[in-house]
């Protein structure tokens, strides 16, 4: 019924507990573990949580594997835990998941090559924005404060007014002297 | 006209329009997967109806249509009938396989009783196979050629013409 290309093995009596040994071992994809094995316990839980917080849940909207309650995220977290316990490093774990999901699975893009742009462009945009704000503020302040030309003009006006007053006084005295 | 503002606006808009235009001609369901062009991950899982462990023997000379689905997925119900039809039509030349994840055996059996089971349905307990295939939701279908290489990943329900077109493409390739 299943066709000639299906090999059927004798079923175990273990209910839904299935052997998945035919799946590619992580070592076939990322090589042998490069780290140290971690025993079950709080340390393993904490590292699993930390790695999961940097791994994207593929069925969620921008949520990490650690933050998502979905079954897919739980399965991924279980696999992360298993690999950490076996001594795989965080980078090896990400490479393993990248083989099937692509770099999309990383919540933080790699800091290499063109991908530096993802990290540096926001910084660049921030600096440009800040400089623009400073420029606008400087122009605004410059236009609202009196300039040296303005103060020179004011002095000139004051000087001319004073000159006119003196001339008036002088001409007044001349008139009274003539009278 | 403020030329500086115009130049700044164009500098932002033109690249954006170019990026969007590049995506217009693509089928949003034909998902780019790092697995396309690579050997399909092998697996051995238990068939829901017989409780026997099935190894699909990928790359053993027969193309495989591998469909990930779940009973709680509404589009999967429609697609299941279409897959049944396609399996009936091409079952001799192409191996159709259903792979259920995040589901229970009781629900799967009830579903298959109602909608038919013309090809093997395997259960992915623990979701390791789904992870190995980079599944991000259901339904998702992988078209695997006779050499065991993934030719395409399709996200979403397939119509009959879409399946037919892809199966014909697989059959046209010589092992």
């Amino acid at each position: 019924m299943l066709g000639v290309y299906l090999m059927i093995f004798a079923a175990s009596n273990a209910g839904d507990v299935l052997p998945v040994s035919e799946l590619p071992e992580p070592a076939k994809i990322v090589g042998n573990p490069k780290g140290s094995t971690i025993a079950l316990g709080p340390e393993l839980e904490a590292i699993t949580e930390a790695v999961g917080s940097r791994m994207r849940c593929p069925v969620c909207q921008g949520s990490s594997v650690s933050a998502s309650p979905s079954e897919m995220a739980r399965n991924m977290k279980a696999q992360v835990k298993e690999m950490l316990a076996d001594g795989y490093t965080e980078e090896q774990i990400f490479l393993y998941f990248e083989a099937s999901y692509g770099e999309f699975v990383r919540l933080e893009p790699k800091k290499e090559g063109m991908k530096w742009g993802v990290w540096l462009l926001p910084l660049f945009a921030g600096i440009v924005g800040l400089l623009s704000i400073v420029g606008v503020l400087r122009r605004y302040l410059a236009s609202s404060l009196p300039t040296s030309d303005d103060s020179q003009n004011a002095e000139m006006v004051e000087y001319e007014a004073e000159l006119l007053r003196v001339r008036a006084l002088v001409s007044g005295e001349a008139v009274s002297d003539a009278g | 006209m403020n030329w500086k503002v115009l130049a700044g606006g164009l500098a932002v808009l033109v690249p954006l329009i170019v990026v969007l235009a590049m995506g217009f001609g693509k089928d949003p369901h034909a998902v780019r997967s790092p697995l396309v062009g690579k050997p399909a991950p092998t697996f051995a899982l238990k068939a829901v109806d017989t409780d026997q462990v099935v190894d699909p023997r990928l790359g053993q000379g027969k193309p495989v249509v591998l469909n990930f689905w779940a009973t709680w997925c509404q589009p999967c119900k429609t697609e299941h009938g279409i897959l049944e039809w396609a399996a009936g039509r091409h079952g001799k030349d192409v191996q159709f396989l259903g792979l259920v994840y995040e589901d229970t055996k009781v629900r799967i059996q009830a579903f298959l009783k109602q909608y038919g089971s013309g090809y093997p349905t395997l259960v992915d307990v623990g979701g390791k196979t789904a992870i190995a295939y980079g599944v991000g939701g259901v339904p998702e279908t992988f078209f695997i050629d006779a050499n065991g290489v993934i030719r395409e990943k399709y996200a979403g329900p397939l119509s009959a013409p879409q399946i037919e077109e892809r199966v014909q493409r697989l059959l046209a390739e010589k092992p």
Side-chain angles (χ1 to χ4, degrees):
Chain A
M1 176 201 169
L2 300 180
V4 290
Y5 291 91
L6 295 177
M7 181 182 279
I8 306 169
F9 298 98
S12 67
N13 294 321
D16 275 346
V17 181
L18 303 172
V20 284
S21 56
E22 292 297 317
L23 274 172
E25 290 295 321
K28 287 180 187 166
I29 297 169
V30 296
N32 289 323
K34 291 180 182 170
S36 319
T37 55
I38 307 171
L40 288 173
E43 189 195 1
L44 180 61
E45 295 296 334
I47 301 173
T48 303
E49 202 64 30
V51 174
S53 70
R54 289 185 281 276
M55 187 175 284
R56 188 191 302 275
C57 163
V59 297
C60 317
Q61 298 286 333
S63 180
S64 75
V65 160
S66 287
S68 168
S70 74
E71 195 163 337
M72 172 61 89
R74 282 205 302 272
N75 290 339
M76 288 174 78
K77 205 166 142 185
Q79 199 154 355
V80 168
K81 190 174 169 182
E82 201 176 297
M83 289 179 76
L84 282 168
D86 288 344
Y88 288 96
T89 62
E90 180 175 340
E91 188 53 27
Q92 283 184 302
I93 292 169
F94 272 105
L95 286 173
Y96 176 74
F97 280 91
E98 264 186 63
S100 50
Y101 286 100
E103 208 179 319
F104 164 82
V105 82
R106 288 178 189 260
L107 273 175
E108 296 175 2
K110 286 181 191 170
K111 290 173 183 167
E112 62 178 31
M114 291 290 284
K115 288 158 202 156
W116 270 109
V118 179
W119 294 90
L120 296 179
L121 273 176
L123 191 68
F124 175 74
I127 292 169
V128 168
L130 201 66
L131 288 175
S132 302
I133 291 168
V134 169
V136 168
L137 278 176
R138 282 184 66 179
R139 257 182 284 167
Y140 171 75
L141 290 172
S143 64
S144 61
L145 288 174
T147 62
S148 56
D149 286 347
D150 290 341
S151 53
Q152 276 179 357
N153 288 341
E155 279 175 17
M156 205 63 188
V157 168
E158 201 177 329
Y159 173 73
E160 279 175 358
E162 184 67 15
L163 193 65
L164 285 171
R165 197 169 58 82
V166 170
R167 275 183 185 159
L169 282 171
V170 170
S171 60
E173 280 174 13
V175 170
S176 62
D177 284 352
Chain B
M1 182 181 286
N2 190 333
W3 292 103
K4 281 185 183 174
V5 173
L6 183 67
L10 286 175
V12 173
L13 277 178
V14 170
L16 198 64
I17 290 168
V18 169
V19 169
L20 290 174
M22 282 165 71
F24 286 151
K26 292 178 182 171
D27 181 351
H29 295 290
V31 181
R32 197 176 59 178
S33 162
L35 290 168
V36 172
K38 293 185 179 161
T42 53
F43 57 89
L45 295 170
K46 197 180 275 186
V48 74
D49 48 353
T50 60
D51 258 4
Q52 290 175 313
V53 176
V54 175
D55 174 357
R57 307 286 295 271
L58 300 168
Q60 300 284 311
K62 196 173 184 181
V64 173
V65 174
L66 178 61
N67 175 250
F68 285 84
W69 66 280
T71 59
W72 43 263
C73 152
Q74 283 302 316
C76 298
K77 288 179 182 167
T78 315
E79 191 189 46
H80 187 81
I82 295 166
L83 285 163
E84 286 278 319
W85 166 80
R89 188 175 159 87
H90 297 290
K92 283 181 186 171
D93 305 313
V94 179
Q95 180 62 58
F96 282 75
L97 280 175
L99 216 153
V100 192
Y101 89 133
E102 295 181 15
D103 221 322
T104 64
K105 193 174 171 179
V106 175
R107 280 198 221 140
I108 300 164
Q109 283 174 330
F111 182 100
L112 293 175
K113 196 174 177 185
Q114 186 178 351
Y115 296 96
S117 56
Y119 54 90
T121 298
L122 317 179
V123 191
D124 184 20
V125 176
K128 280 194 173 181
T129 308
I131 291 172
Y133 275 82
V135 171
V138 282
E140 274 189 13
T141 308
F142 291 81
F143 294 87
I144 303 164
D145 70 15
N147 297 314
V149 174
I150 295 177
R151 308 309 298 186
E152 192 182 341
K153 169 183 178 176
Y154 192 91
L158 282 153
S159 65
Q162 284 171 326
I163 291 182
E164 186 63 22
E165 181 195 337
R166 284 159 175 85
V167 166
Q168 289 299 341
R169 219 182 290 157
L170 285 178
L171 291 171
E173 292 173 6
K174 289 181 180 175

